[in-house]
Amino acid sequence: MADPPGAPAGFGRPAPLPQTGWERLSELWRRDEQQQFPEETVNILKSAFTAGLVGWLYGGLPAFVSARKAFIESSHGEMFQNRADAVQSAHRAGLRSFIRYGWRWSWRVTAFATIFNVVSTGLSVYRDKTAISNFAAAGAFTGALFRMHLGLQGLVGGIVFGTAFGVPAGGLLMAMYGLAGETLQEKRRRERRELYEQQLAEWQSRLNMIEILGQTESNAQGRPETERARELKSC
């Protein structure tokens, strides 16, 4: 349906729903009308933060306990001002190890989780469906990427490890989606369709209003001319 001549600038039919995988992928990094990113992108950021925190605790807490214990065992012959000074020294030694090894584990776990989520989400969005194969492929790719510097044997080991990680992780996520009643792709598709139908109805309503106003204006301009013609005929 063409826009009427009197339509305001920027008045046009709503953009159609994305049909190709690349169009759906481009929407992952595009803000909506409320200046918010899609739920899939927000979930990637949230999982990266959570993975970093878990990795820091996983690497930092054992290092803190081990360093504190080693300091106590190796400092029996040292002199401290008091018991509080000795305890603080042990805590400082543990804290240094907590920061050092916590950071070492944190960035690795964050990188692994982020790459895995980006690839699995990208495959699900591109294919427009959630499947175990998406998570298996994402795990294999991420594992291979992390172990490729060890040569062919490390590459194969990374693929096996990543696949073994991706399949149960994907199964768990799909089980959670099953409890929720719909996957993220199904929810995204439904919300996108509902928004498009709403925008299309609003556009058609405005279009009809403009046509009605245009007809009213035309009738108002034609009425004086009709009365003038009648006067001329009577003369």
Side-chain angles (χ1 to χ4, degrees), residues 11-178:
F11 180 85
R13 188 185 185 93
L17 299 177
Q19 301 298 326
T20 66
W22 292 113
E23 290 178 350
R24 289 189 293 269
L25 280 176
S26 65
E27 285 191 339
L28 285 178
W29 318 110
R30 188 184 307 159
R31 296 177 183 268
D32 57 15
E33 297 178 352
Q34 287 76 33
Q35 297 300 312
Q36 295 179 350
F37 285 106
E39 185 177 356
E40 296 92 337
T41 306
V42 175
N43 288 341
I44 291 175
L45 299 177
K46 289 180 179 179
S47 64
F49 175 80
T50 303
L53 181 61
V54 171
W56 202 303
L57 294 176
Y58 178 82
L61 289 179
F64 176 86
V65 175
S66 178
R68 187 174 181 275
K69 182 178 179 181
F71 179 83
I72 294 174
E73 293 177 350
S74 63
S75 61
H76 286 300
E78 297 183 12
M79 297 295 296
F80 297 96
Q81 296 179 358
N82 48 48
R83 179 178 176 82
D85 184 36
V87 172
Q88 290 177 0
S89 298
H91 278 296
R92 283 194 295 268
L95 184 60
R96 286 193 296 269
S97 293
F98 176 81
I99 295 175
R100 178 184 178 185
Y101 292 97
W103 165 250
R104 182 178 297 181
W105 274 94
S106 179
W107 77 263
R108 285 179 170 86
V109 175
T110 301
F112 187 93
T114 302
I115 295 174
F116 174 81
N117 286 323
V118 168
V119 175
S120 61
T121 301
L123 288 174
S124 298
V125 171
Y126 183 84
R127 300 175 62 189
D128 201 21
K129 68 175 182 178
T130 302
I132 289 290
S133 58
N134 297 339
F135 299 98
F141 174 82
T142 308
L145 189 64
F146 267 72
R147 304 287 290 181
M148 63 186 302
H149 66 283
L150 299 178
L152 181 60
Q153 185 176 0
L155 183 66
V156 174
I159 293 175
V160 173
F161 169 79
T163 304
F165 169 81
V167 170
L172 178 61
L173 287 175
M174 292 191 67
M176 295 174 61
Y177 294 151

